Amino acid sequence: MQTPPVALTAGSDLELRLLHEDDAAALQRAIDESRDHLTPFMPFATADPPGLSHRRSWIAKSRDAFRTGQRFHYGILRAGEVIGECSIHPVDGRMASIGFWVHVAHVRQGVASAVAVALTKAALQAGCDLVRIRHDRANAASGSIAARLGYERLGEEPHAIDAPGQTGTSVVWLLTRTV
């Protein structure tokens, strides 16, 4: 997989971009304001230490991982405000997984779907033939996005439970590049 661009557009009003240290407060605010919404499925919502020093460190590590091609994290911005985070994780030379979360005030507005489209396109343009979405079985919203975008439901597989709303079963979806 080649390195995707450091900035992407998603829909008409969303920007996905590499986060900077000065985004730490806005990212932490989005997490704090959405904590109840995120806690069931996102381990970081309860496991990450509080405070900006951890968030700044996480951003620095994410930037390093981007530069070295290990994984590609983006902030989701609407009108310049950080409203979530998303990522592309290379699995191997042919496949990448995508993931995303959105501030609770912006759910059910098409943000996650637009982000998933942008990440999928970026992964395909970076040379992946397969793009995967995995989510806990209880997270029906993520499944509906994958289905709506034309991902094929491959089945289920066990995963470690690391957030309180998880069942321990992942649903796996795959989109294959078409020629």
Side-chain angles (χ1 to χ4, degrees):
M1 176 176 183
Q2 302 164 7
T3 301
V6 297
L8 306 166
T9 57
S12 61
D13 66 340
L14 299 171
E15 175 189 9
L16 312 181
R17 69 164 170 77
L18 189 59
L19 291 167
H20 305 284
E21 184 178 323
D22 57 353
D23 292 315
L27 180 60
Q28 188 63 52
R29 186 172 37 258
I31 292 168
D32 290 343
E33 291 173 359
S34 302
R35 194 166 307 279
D36 290 344
H37 173 71
L38 297 172
T39 294
F41 303 115
M42 302 303 229
F44 69 85
T46 56
D48 284 2
L52 290 181
S53 63
H54 173 74
R55 201 55 53 209
R56 284 187 192 103
S57 174
W58 183 86
I59 289 172
K61 289 176 185 171
S62 294
R63 292 176 66 82
D64 286 344
F66 200 108
R67 188 183 73 256
T68 60
Q70 296 171 352
R71 63 188 177 282
F72 308 101
H73 286 275
Y74 297 91
I76 303 169
L77 286 83
R78 181 182 252 173
E81 175 190 0
V82 176
I83 63 162
E85 187 268 329
C86 60
S87 59
I88 302 170
H89 293 260
V91 175
D92 59 30
R94 294 189 58 226
M95 182 190 302
S97 278
I98 64 170
F100 41 86
W101 66 267
V102 177
H103 187 292
V104 67
H106 297 269
V107 298
R108 293 180 178 69
Q109 298 175 23
V111 173
S113 292
V115 167
V117 167
L119 293 174
T120 300
K121 286 181 182 177
L124 293 171
Q125 289 171 350
C128 290
D129 294 321
L130 307 164
V131 183
R132 178 177 70 186
I133 294 176
R134 288 177 42 180
H135 63 86
D136 189 87
R137 184 187 323 155
N139 187 350
S142 288
S144 67
I145 290 168
R148 197 168 40 254
L149 298 183
Y151 278 70
E152 177 186 355
R153 188 181 191 279
L154 293 183
E156 297 182 347
E157 63 188 28
H159 73 84
I161 295 175
D162 54 9
Q166 294 179 349
T167 65
T169 300
S170 287
V171 180
V172 181
W173 300 81
L174 196 65
L175 186 127
T176 304
R177 174 191 304 275
T178 55
V179 179

